[in-house]
Each structure stands twice: as C-alpha cells, then as structure tokens.
Amino acid sequence: MAKKTSKSKTLPIYILNGPNLNLLGHREPEVYGYTTLAEIEKMCAAQAAGHGLSIIFHQSNHEGEIVDQLQEARTSGSAVIINPAGYGHTSIAILDTIQALKIPVIEVHLSNLHKRESYRHLSYVSKGATGIIMGLGAQGYLRAVDAVAQILKVSK
Ligand code: CA2
C-alpha cells in the first residue's frame, strides 16, 4: 500500500505597513515614488506565490494595531516584513514586540534613511530586525520577500 504523505503548508508572511503609507503614490511621489500600496500588495503576493508562499498584508496608522498584528504573526506567520514608517523612529513598543518573535523579521524602507534628515537615521525596529532593506523604493518589498523565501528554505 502506498505510504500517505502529508505536505505541511508554510504559514503566511505578514507584511505590515505603518502610518501614512496608505498615501503612497498619491502624495509626495518625488520622495516615495508613484507605486500605490495596493500595487505593492499585488506585487508582493505574486512574488511570494513564485516561491510557493502566501502573504497577509496590512497597513495601519495606529501603533497598538501594529503591535496586535505583530502578536498575531507570532503564532500565525512564518516571517514578518515591516515598513514601520514614522514609528520606526519612535516606537519601543513595536521593537519590544518584534524582539518577542521567533520568526525572521525584515525591515523595509522605501527611501534611504541615511540620506535624509538626521531624525530618520535611528530606527528602533532595526535593533530587532533580522535584516534591513532601504532605498530601493517598492522593489525593496520584493527583495524582502526573496530574502524571507531564502531564509525559510535554509531553515527548513
Ligand atoms: O522610506 C520609508 O519607507 C519610510 O518608512 C516612510 C515614512 C517615513 O516616516 C520614514 O522615515 C521612512 C513615511 C511614510 C509616509 O508616506 C507618505 C507617502 C505619501 C505622502 C506622504 C507620506
């Protein structure tokens, strides 16, 4: 009799976006580009599917909601990709939650923080991140999906 095999499906990658990223593509395109967040979501879903992975994509303007989403990822996600936006520079609460995760966390910023105002040079989130991608615009999210796929493959 043929042996039964059970294929376990990898949990989704949580892709979390902080305050004002819902305005992407509509305001300040000279700084953040013309791609909207809805387009980034579609691109990430396709990129993840190419690796046999799925995503859960959120944006929130509220710090506590991002903490809740990170806590959900702790039990229901395989990895986190986070653009904490302005909260990266201020939120110890988000860092604390990231440090409680046992899954890879990739921090993404559209712009290169080090080319910008000095108050953007520090990101608390970076202290808890597995890796950081910045300055590549929307492409940075796709590179983060690739990095997660590689990390998960290696750690399987
Ligand atoms: O470069 C990034 O991805 C940032 O995380 C974007 C944040 C900024 O506070 C960080 O320093 C760097 C800002 C997101 C706000 O996005 C807007 C998009 C269009 C119009 C206004 C804001």
Side-chain angles (χ1 to χ4, degrees), residues 4-156:
K4 255 195 192 167
T5 54
S6 69
K7 234 186 180 181
S8 70
K9 211 167 162 0
T10 309
L11 293 171
I13 307 167
Y14 275 65
I15 305 184
L16 306 181
N17 295 279
N20 297 309
L21 286 165
N22 52 314
L23 301 176
L24 273 186
H26 303 291
R27 308 257 174 86
E28 296 186 50
E30 63 289 351
V31 186
Y32 298 117
Y34 287 91
T35 312
T36 66
L37 199 61
E39 288 166 341
I40 291 177
E41 177 175 3
K42 272 195 194 154
M43 288 157 58
C44 286
Q47 192 75 9
H51 292 292
L53 298 168
S54 62
I55 64 163
I56 288 181
F57 197 94
H58 288 303
Q59 186 275 331
S60 177
N61 293 329
H62 305 280
E63 186 176 14
E65 219 170 278
I66 296 168
V67 167
D68 288 343
Q69 290 160 358
L70 283 165
Q71 288 190 8
E72 186 183 305
R74 186 167 169 267
T75 50
S76 307
S78 62
V80 169
I81 294 170
I82 182 167
N83 182 346
Y87 285 143
H89 312 302
T90 62
S91 179
I92 305 238
I94 290 177
L95 171 62
D96 284 342
T97 318
I98 286 174
Q99 286 183 323
L101 301 181
K102 292 194 171 69
I103 54 179
V105 176
I106 310 294
E107 178 183 5
V108 171
H109 293 280
L110 297 154
S111 59
N112 178 348
L113 301 180
H114 299 290
K115 279 185 159 177
R116 302 191 62 194
E117 303 91 335
S118 58
Y119 58 81
R120 295 187 201 274
H121 294 177
L122 171 77
S123 165
Y124 288 108
V125 165
S126 299
K127 181 130 183 68
T130 310
I132 306 160
I133 296 171
M134 64 169 80
L136 302 182
Q139 284 293 317
Y141 284 77
L142 304 185
R143 300 292 71 81
V145 170
D146 293 340
V148 163
Q150 181 64 31
I151 292 166
L152 294 178
K153 201 165 75 184
V154 168
S155 64
K156 240 185 187 177

